Amino acid sequence: MTAKDTLEAAITAQGDVVRKLKSAATKDKAKINEEVQKLLALKEQLKQLTVDGDGEGEAKASPAGTDAGPPGNRNLSLKTPKGTRDYGPEAMALRQRVLDQVVSVFRKHGAETIDTPVFELKEVLTGKYGEDSKLIYDLKDQGGEILALRYDLTVPFARYVGMGNVFNIKRYHIAKVYRRDNPQITRGRYREFYQCDFDIAGTYDPMLPDAECVKVVCEILSTVGVGAYVVKLNHRKLLDGMFEACGVPADKFRTACSSVDKLDKTPWEEVRREMVEEKGLSEETVGRIGEYVTLHGGRELVDRLAADDKLKAIPGAMEGLEDMRLLLQYCEIFQIADRVTFDLSLARGLDYYTGVIYEAVLLGGGGGGGADQQEEEITVGSVAGGGRYDNLVGMFNPKRKQVPCVGVSIGVERLFSIIEARVAGKTRTNETEVYVASAHKGLHLKRLEILNQLWAAGVKAEHSYKLNPKLLAQLQHCEEYQIPYAIVLGDGELSRGVVKLREIATRKEEEVPLDSFIEELRRRLSAA
Amino acid sequence: MTAKDTLEAAITAQGDVVRKLKSAATKDKAKINEEVQKLLALKEQLKQLTVDGDGEGEAKASPAGTDAGPPGNRNLSLKTPKGTRDYGPEAMALRQRVLDQVVSVFRKHGAETIDTPVFELKEVLTGKYGEDSKLIYDLKDQGGEILALRYDLTVPFARYVGMGNVFNIKRYHIAKVYRRDNPQITRGRYREFYQCDFDIAGTYDPMLPDAECVKVVCEILSTVGVGAYVVKLNHRKLLDGMFEACGVPADKFRTACSSVDKLDKTPWEEVRREMVEEKGLSEETVGRIGEYVTLHGGRELVDRLAADDKLKAIPGAMEGLEDMRLLLQYCEIFQIADRVTFDLSLARGLDYYTGVIYEAVLLGGGGGGGADQQEEEITVGSVAGGGRYDNLVGMFNPKRKQVPCVGVSIGVERLFSIIEARVAGKTRTNETEVYVASAHKGLHLKRLEILNQLWAAGVKAEHSYKLNPKLLAQLQHCEEYQIPYAIVLGDGELSRGVVKLREIATRKEEEVPLDSFIEELRRRLSAA
């Protein structure tokens, strides 16, 4: 199936979603708009694919302002930039809910938060992301500094720590980052997306901060509720030691690493061929690597490797193993031993890791299957990853002083998608507790007065901005926005000093006195 | 005093702040770093001023990568881009607290939230900001679309509403916007800053949404607590009508408007001269304008203007006055009549306003003074502003359909500065409830076990990442971070099945059984 076929299929499916929503009995306008925008984004992608021929390039933009018509009639491109989207109220409500859960875990572990500018001096980002540096968004040089949008939150964090002479900090940072990647809107991958990082900087004893990062990952995945997952653990020093033991020359450690990194998506046979044919490693060396990288397990694997004659000769490998032994011990105390696995195939792409590395993947299968089934479970992708990077901060310190760091980045965009797909019904987008309605014409001043009393009492309240709205329209608004109560004003009731308090879900109405309706409302809201 | 003098004075003062902090008995590292960064920013500004000669231009950036040394030794510029800064934990905690208050008011009025990309197609922003368009940050054209960073949140909102065929929405949006303005770091003005907007889009009856926006401004300023303020109100149609009545030609309404807009900072005599000498209006016309723009008051002013012979002849002016009459009536019902003033000198710079406009200013004087003193009170600047813009959404709608809008932008950066200046002592930056400490060596595994129990129970807990930290250092950490309790572990206590629970502020310690310390802790935390 070509990229074009895939897109066309996605457009057809998305068109169905939109049609279904539009034909539903109760129309959810926000949701419809949301889905229409997704559809438009897909169509735009198809258009670009057709223009470029291969789907890799950029759309040809018509330069702004060349349009001949008068300004009022210029044909604006009615879209957001390629690979970006708007987030409507429903998407935002859902994202906020997930982020709140993530932050509550960070806070439970004592983290503070910081913020850095959305752009950095280009030189700060240069040389940190290997081949992917081409995906950095540059700003136009307008006779000033050379700037670029941040690509992740780790490098800005290291700059903050190094530049500010901070010697220890435990911080989280939730912000958007920017990558001119090929957007895959069908898979929820955009060029502007949230990162959600938790890092511990400071000179501490081995594995105590590292184990807490792994614990944080487990708590978040369990709290958000994404189903079965496993956190793979490995160590850069052990990986390098393993390569050395297998006969890989030192200058090929990183390139061997990036081959091994593909093992989560690519079969060994293919990775093997790449290492021999493209990276120029000997059949024998690669064969030895193959024996190691298929290993995974727990503390017994640490013991086995510690007794391995080839590895025993390499001090770095032994150091890595001692770290792994400690880490697994701490994971047992943290009661996450059943969530982690020591996996020699985990390599991770980034250059700056120097110690423990980890990656959480969701398990597609029915997590409860037998032990022998576990091997076959399909992983549906990484939802968190991180590791130790002890040599990054020094690059940003005037005196080159290093501050060791370990951290984790939560793949919240993946979490949003998973939760979004699972939500049945409409997510509430406001917090209004009561709607002030008129039963008939001529009551708008009274409505304002009642509203003002409610606001003064701290009650979340709204009304129609029409002078004489229809009662039915007002009640439908309450249902659409899931507002639990309405106060219905009418001359008859007002003359008797009462208002009607209506429970929207049950449609039950009760008269309550004007001088105590707020107390009654509060009583009901706190009982709910 | 030249710009250079001002900066040098500011640097001296800031240097004093830093020295004082560094010599204090209890060193607050976070605060010191915060202030050091401000000092560095000021010095950078002075450097640029010296390079440019006039302080208006840009620093000459040395192109990245031209440095001759090996990559590890390259001299990175250790700074954030011009006009930006990092926000450390303390600044963030304070900002978050203020934003939470602002959001709670928006939510009390039933608002939802949305988000849009940080950049837009350049053409979306073109022609919306008049002369200030030169301050827009452009992205580099990398063979794709022409993009620019958002300059405000109003235009992206109008694009969202128009493009998505949204017909009514009440939303808030809190996000950073970007202006290549001359940063005034001494006055807390940066090139990257938060905007905090609340807007109501939809076809409604006159002044109902408008009055609610004014109410929202008053609630926010009262909630955040910024002292005495007044919300100035005026109307674009009345302003235009007034210009017409005074004999200003229609094509000079906007330029006359921008002169009048300066009256909050500039004396009438100077504005008068500008209108006559630079804008080419006759002495007589300007004299007539002068009579109007010095007027301010309440409903009696509406009556007086409605009876004004020159204005009576102009339908637009009468429409504006009818709106003002209604708005003032609704403000009375909302009990904010004493907070608002109908002020004919309020003009506001932006082109897109079409109806009511408003601006909240803080009053510098002692708000409680006599009525005759009020005239002399010095306004210390705008903290919120907005108005009605009925013709903006149509520019972004495929069928040019208009959706009327009214909204307000809260100047949160001003609010942050005001609150920051007022805070005495350190702002708490984490939420940790209990610190798990060791009284002596060899207890780290027990600490992890206790921590794990606390986390499982949902208690916010942390410890030292050192195997054998000194007890004093652990307790100092609690004091520095204002953590209320510590659990102190010791072999003696553990052998008797108890731990010490220490209240940090009072230094009182009590033994509690290992099997009930969490309940005891919870009891105390909820009593606090």
Side-chain angles (χ1 to χ4, degrees):
Chain A
M1 207 152 127
T2 68
K4 190 156 168 273
D5 292 340
T6 313
L7 261 177
E8 281 171 349
I11 287 169
T12 309
Q14 186 64 22
D16 288 344
V17 169
V18 171
R19 266 184 299 279
K20 205 172 133 197
L21 280 170
K22 283 189 173 170
S23 66
T26 52
K27 289 194 188 16
D28 178 348
K29 282 184 203 160
K31 185 78 187 162
I32 292 174
N33 280 326
E34 198 75 35
E35 298 299 333
V36 166
Q37 295 209 19
K38 282 189 201 165
L39 180 61
L40 291 175
L42 287 170
K43 286 185 175 170
E44 178 61 30
Q45 236 190 331
L46 181 66
K47 209 175 88 189
Q48 294 183 4
L49 197 70
T50 320
V51 170
D52 303 335
D54 62 359
E56 296 293 319
E58 297 278 344
K60 266 127 205 126
S62 55
T66 54
D67 204 297
N73 292 325
R74 285 212 306 114
N75 273 319
L76 275 173
S77 305
L78 290 174
K79 62 189 196 83
T80 58
K82 184 178 178 187
T84 67
R85 57 171 286 208
D86 293 324
Y87 294 91
E90 214 170 335
M92 286 299 283
L94 187 140
R95 294 165 86 85
Q96 198 54 56
R97 214 175 62 199
V98 174
L99 286 181
D100 285 349
Q101 289 178 320
V102 172
V103 167
S104 76
V105 174
F106 292 158
R107 292 249 168 228
K108 202 162 90 180
H109 289 262
E112 311 172 294
T113 190
I114 68 161
D115 199 12
T116 63
V118 78
F119 40 61
E120 294 278 345
L121 297 182
K122 178 72 188 260
E123 58 185 321
V124 165
L125 308 186
T126 303
K128 309 298 184 304
Y129 306 109
E131 281 182 12
D132 286 344
S133 295
K134 66 176 186 298
L135 303 180
I136 292 173
Y137 274 97
D138 292 324
L139 266 71
K140 203 167 179 177
D141 176 10
Q142 281 145 322
E145 301 160 325
I146 311 292
L147 306 177
L149 295 184
R150 64 184 160 212
Y151 183 86
D152 68 3
L153 301 177
T154 306
V155 169
F157 174 61
R159 180 192 54 68
Y160 171 84
V161 173
M163 186 176 119
N165 277 308
V166 176
F167 300 117
N168 52 71
I169 185 169
K170 174 161 57 180
R171 80 89 183 82
Y172 68 89
H173 190 186
I174 298 180
K176 288 182 180 162
V177 301
Y178 299 87
R179 300 183 183 179
R180 290 171 46 86
D181 220 333
N182 219 30
Q184 298 185 281
I185 288 161
T186 39
R187 292 175 57 197
R189 281 183 55 184
Y190 289 86
R191 290 179 159 196
E192 173 184 55
F193 59 97
Y194 269 113
Q195 279 205 340
C196 204
D197 284 19
F198 171 90
D199 293 79
I200 302 171
T203 305
Y204 298 121
D205 282 309
M207 298 303 108
L208 284 171
D210 312 60
E212 191 158 334
C213 286
V214 178
K215 175 72 174 172
V216 161
V217 171
C218 293
E219 284 190 30
I220 286 172
L221 296 180
S222 299
T223 304
V224 172
V226 290
Y229 64 89
V230 64
V231 185
K232 298 179 183 174
L233 309 173
N234 202 1
H235 200 292
R236 269 288 162 90
K237 284 187 184 167
L238 177 62
L239 266 175
D240 287 351
M242 175 189 88
F243 289 136
E244 190 180 340
C246 295
V248 178
D251 62 344
K252 288 193 173 165
F253 284 2
R254 284 288 79 81
T255 189
C257 219
S258 78
S259 292
V260 169
D261 193 39
K262 295 175 183 162
L263 277 173
D264 56 339
K265 293 179 198 114
T266 317
W268 166 248
E269 194 42 47
E270 213 166 300
V271 172
R272 198 197 63 80
R273 198 184 317 119
E274 176 181 297
M275 288 202 274
V276 174
E277 292 173 14
E278 295 174 33
K279 313 247 160 135
L281 299 176
S282 74
E283 292 271 3
E284 197 187 349
T285 292
V286 175
R288 286 195 201 114
I289 294 174
E291 282 168 32
Y292 286 114
V293 296
T294 46
L295 300 175
H296 55 95
R299 287 169 82 168
E300 78 296 341
L301 180 57
V302 176
D303 294 335
R304 183 175 148 190
L305 293 171
D308 182 295
D309 285 333
K310 284 198 297 283
L311 289 177
K312 269 203 305 207
I314 297 158
M318 290 300 108
E319 285 166 38
L321 276 175
E322 280 322 297
D323 276 354
M324 291 306 300
R325 190 190 301 279
L326 258 184
L327 179 61
L328 290 171
Q329 184 193 8
Y330 295 161
C331 284
E332 272 172 34
I333 298 177
F334 284 162
Q335 297 180 303
I336 49 171
D338 57 334
R339 299 294 201 173
V340 303
T341 176
F342 175 20
D343 188 328
L344 283 172
S345 74
L346 177 70
R348 290 189 64 76
L350 290 167
D351 281 359
Y352 50 64
Y353 291 121
T354 57
V356 164
I357 48 178
Y358 37 80
E359 191 166 291
V361 290
L362 299 187
L363 302 172
D372 53 341
Q373 281 237 287
Q374 218 161 332
E375 303 283 315
E376 267 64 56
E377 277 177 350
I378 307 145
T379 58
V380 296
S382 160
V383 286
R388 176 161 284 281
Y389 50 103
D390 287 349
N391 301 331
L392 193 57
V393 169
M395 300 174 73
F396 299 107
N397 184 270
K399 295 181 178 159
R400 300 283 176 256
K401 189 175 159 38
Q402 293 293 1
V403 179
C405 295
V406 63
V408 63
S409 188
I410 307 296
V412 277
E413 297 285 349
R414 290 299 306 269
L415 301 187
F416 296 148
S417 302
I418 292 163
I419 303 298
E420 199 160 28
R422 192 188 296 166
V423 168
K426 190 180 186 297
T427 304
R428 245 203 114 171
T429 57
N430 67 27
E431 296 174 2
T432 307
E433 293 165 327
V434 64
Y435 189 90
V436 181
S438 306
H440 54 76
K441 287 192 177 183
L443 287 167
H444 70 283
L445 296 183
K446 191 69 192 173
R447 248 160 48 208
L448 296 181
E449 195 185 313
I450 297 281
L451 272 174
N452 196 53
Q453 288 175 36
L454 288 163
W455 290 332
V459 178
K460 295 169 188 157
E462 56 179 331
H463 74 137
S464 167
Y465 297 116
K466 295 192 172 170
L467 288 177
N468 298 309
K470 291 207 169 67
L471 183 59
L472 186 63
Q474 296 171 82
L475 297 178
Q476 275 173 345
H477 179 96
C478 295
E479 286 180 13
E480 191 186 341
Y481 286 89
Q482 301 173 52
I483 300 170
Y485 293 99
I487 302 262
V488 184
L489 306 181
D491 276 342
E493 289 82 8
L494 287 169
S495 67
R496 286 186 284 115
V498 298
V499 292
K500 273 191 200 153
L501 178 55
R502 180 184 173 110
E503 191 176 25
I504 299 300
T506 61
R507 302 185 178 186
K508 269 188 212 154
E509 288 185 348
E510 199 179 314
E511 290 191 352
V512 290
L514 260 173
D515 57 12
S516 67
F517 73 97
I518 294 183
E519 288 71 21
E520 174 60 21
L521 186 63
R522 272 206 184 124
R523 200 187 54 73
R524 294 199 189 190
L525 287 167
S526 62
Chain B
M1 208 151 125
T2 67
K4 190 158 169 271
D5 292 338
T6 314
L7 262 177
E8 281 171 348
I11 288 170
T12 309
Q14 186 63 21
D16 288 343
V17 170
V18 171
R19 267 184 299 278
K20 205 172 133 197
L21 281 170
K22 283 188 173 169
S23 66
T26 51
K27 290 194 186 20
D28 177 349
K29 281 184 204 162
K31 184 78 186 161
I32 291 175
N33 280 327
E34 198 76 33
E35 297 300 332
V36 166
Q37 294 208 20
K38 282 189 201 164
L39 181 61
L40 292 175
L42 287 170
K43 286 186 177 171
E44 177 63 28
Q45 236 191 329
L46 181 66
K47 210 175 89 189
Q48 294 183 5
L49 197 70
T50 320
V51 170
D52 302 335
D54 63 358
E56 295 295 316
E58 296 278 344
K60 266 128 204 124
S62 54
T66 54
D67 203 299
N73 293 325
R74 283 209 311 112
N75 274 319
L76 275 174
S77 303
L78 290 173
K79 61 189 194 84
T80 58
K82 185 178 176 187
T84 67
R85 55 170 289 206
D86 293 324
Y87 293 92
E90 216 171 333
M92 286 299 283
L94 187 140
R95 294 164 87 83
Q96 198 54 55
R97 216 175 61 199
V98 174
L99 287 180
D100 285 349
Q101 290 177 320
V102 172
V103 168
S104 76
V105 174
F106 293 158
R107 292 248 169 230
K108 203 163 88 178
H109 289 262
E112 311 172 294
T113 190
I114 68 158
D115 199 12
T116 63
V118 78
F119 40 61
E120 294 279 347
L121 297 182
K122 178 72 190 259
E123 58 185 319
V124 166
L125 308 187
T126 303
K128 307 299 184 302
Y129 307 108
E131 281 185 9
D132 286 345
S133 295
K134 64 178 188 296
L135 303 180
I136 293 173
Y137 274 96
D138 292 325
L139 267 72
K140 205 168 178 173
D141 175 10
Q142 281 146 323
E145 301 159 324
I146 311 292
L147 306 177
L149 296 184
R150 64 183 159 214
Y151 182 86
D152 69 3
L153 302 177
T154 306
V155 169
F157 174 61
R159 180 193 52 69
Y160 171 84
V161 173
M163 185 177 120
N165 278 308
V166 176
F167 299 117
N168 53 69
I169 184 169
K170 175 161 57 180
R171 80 89 180 80
Y172 67 90
H173 190 186
I174 297 181
K176 287 182 181 163
V177 301
Y178 300 87
R179 299 183 183 179
R180 291 170 44 87
D181 220 330
N182 219 31
Q184 299 186 281
I185 289 160
T186 40
R187 292 177 56 197
R189 282 184 55 187
Y190 290 86
R191 289 179 160 195
E192 174 184 56
F193 59 97
Y194 269 113
Q195 279 205 339
C196 205
D197 284 17
F198 172 90
D199 293 80
I200 302 171
T203 304
Y204 298 121
D205 281 310
M207 298 304 106
L208 285 171
D210 312 63
E212 190 158 336
C213 287
V214 177
K215 174 72 174 174
V216 161
V217 171
C218 292
E219 284 190 31
I220 286 171
L221 296 181
S222 299
T223 304
V224 172
V226 291
Y229 64 88
V230 64
V231 185
K232 297 178 182 174
L233 308 174
N234 201 3
H235 199 293
R236 269 288 163 89
K237 285 188 186 167
L238 177 61
L239 266 175
D240 287 352
M242 176 187 87
F243 289 136
E244 190 180 341
C246 296
V248 179
D251 63 345
K252 287 194 174 166
F253 285 1
R254 285 286 81 80
T255 189
C257 218
S258 77
S259 292
V260 168
D261 193 39
K262 293 175 185 163
L263 278 174
D264 56 338
K265 293 180 198 112
T266 317
W268 165 247
E269 195 42 47
E270 212 167 302
V271 172
R272 198 196 62 80
R273 199 182 317 120
E274 177 181 297
M275 287 202 274
V276 174
E277 292 172 15
E278 293 174 33
K279 312 243 160 137
L281 299 177
S282 74
E283 291 272 3
E284 197 188 348
T285 292
V286 174
R288 285 196 202 114
I289 294 174
E291 281 168 33
Y292 286 115
V293 295
T294 46
L295 300 175
H296 53 95
R299 287 169 82 168
E300 78 295 344
L301 180 56
V302 175
D303 293 334
R304 183 175 149 190
L305 294 171
D308 182 295
D309 285 335
K310 285 198 297 282
L311 291 177
K312 269 202 306 204
I314 298 158
M318 291 301 107
E319 285 168 37
L321 277 174
E322 280 322 296
D323 276 354
M324 291 307 298
R325 190 191 300 280
L326 259 185
L327 179 61
L328 291 171
Q329 183 193 8
Y330 294 161
C331 284
E332 271 171 34
I333 299 176
F334 283 161
Q335 297 179 303
I336 49 170
D338 57 336
R339 298 295 201 172
V340 303
T341 175
F342 175 21
D343 187 328
L344 283 172
S345 74
L346 177 70
R348 290 190 64 77
L350 290 167
D351 282 357
Y352 50 64
Y353 290 121
T354 56
V356 164
I357 48 178
Y358 36 80
E359 191 166 291
V361 291
L362 299 186
L363 301 173
D372 53 341
Q373 281 238 286
Q374 219 162 331
E375 302 285 312
E376 267 64 57
E377 277 178 348
I378 307 144
T379 58
V380 296
S382 160
V383 288
R388 176 162 284 283
Y389 50 102
D390 287 349
N391 301 330
L392 193 57
V393 168
M395 300 175 73
F396 300 107
N397 184 272
K399 294 180 180 160
R400 300 283 176 255
K401 190 176 158 37
Q402 293 293 1
V403 179
C405 296
V406 62
V408 62
S409 187
I410 307 295
V412 279
E413 297 285 350
R414 290 298 307 268
L415 301 186
F416 295 149
S417 302
I418 292 163
I419 303 298
E420 199 160 28
R422 193 188 293 167
V423 168
K426 191 179 185 301
T427 305
R428 247 204 113 170
T429 56
N430 68 28
E431 296 174 2
T432 308
E433 293 166 326
V434 63
Y435 189 91
V436 181
S438 307
H440 54 76
K441 288 191 176 186
L443 287 167
H444 71 282
L445 295 183
K446 192 69 193 173
R447 247 160 47 208
L448 296 182
E449 195 185 313
I450 297 282
L451 271 174
N452 196 53
Q453 288 176 34
L454 288 163
W455 290 332
V459 179
K460 295 167 187 158
E462 56 178 331
H463 75 137
S464 166
Y465 297 117
K466 295 192 172 170
L467 288 176
N468 299 308
K470 292 204 171 66
L471 182 58
L472 186 64
Q474 295 171 82
L475 297 178
Q476 275 173 345
H477 179 96
C478 295
E479 286 181 12
E480 190 186 342
Y481 286 89
Q482 302 174 53
I483 299 169
Y485 293 99
I487 303 263
V488 184
L489 306 180
D491 276 342
E493 289 82 7
L494 289 170
S495 68
R496 286 184 286 115
V498 298
V499 292
K500 274 190 198 154
L501 177 56
R502 180 183 173 111
E503 191 177 24
I504 298 300
T506 61
R507 303 185 177 187
K508 270 187 212 155
E509 289 185 348
E510 199 179 313
E511 290 191 351
V512 290
L514 261 173
D515 57 12
S516 67
F517 73 96
I518 293 183
E519 288 71 22
E520 174 60 20
L521 186 64
R522 272 206 184 126
R523 199 185 55 73
R524 295 199 189 192
L525 287 167
S526 61

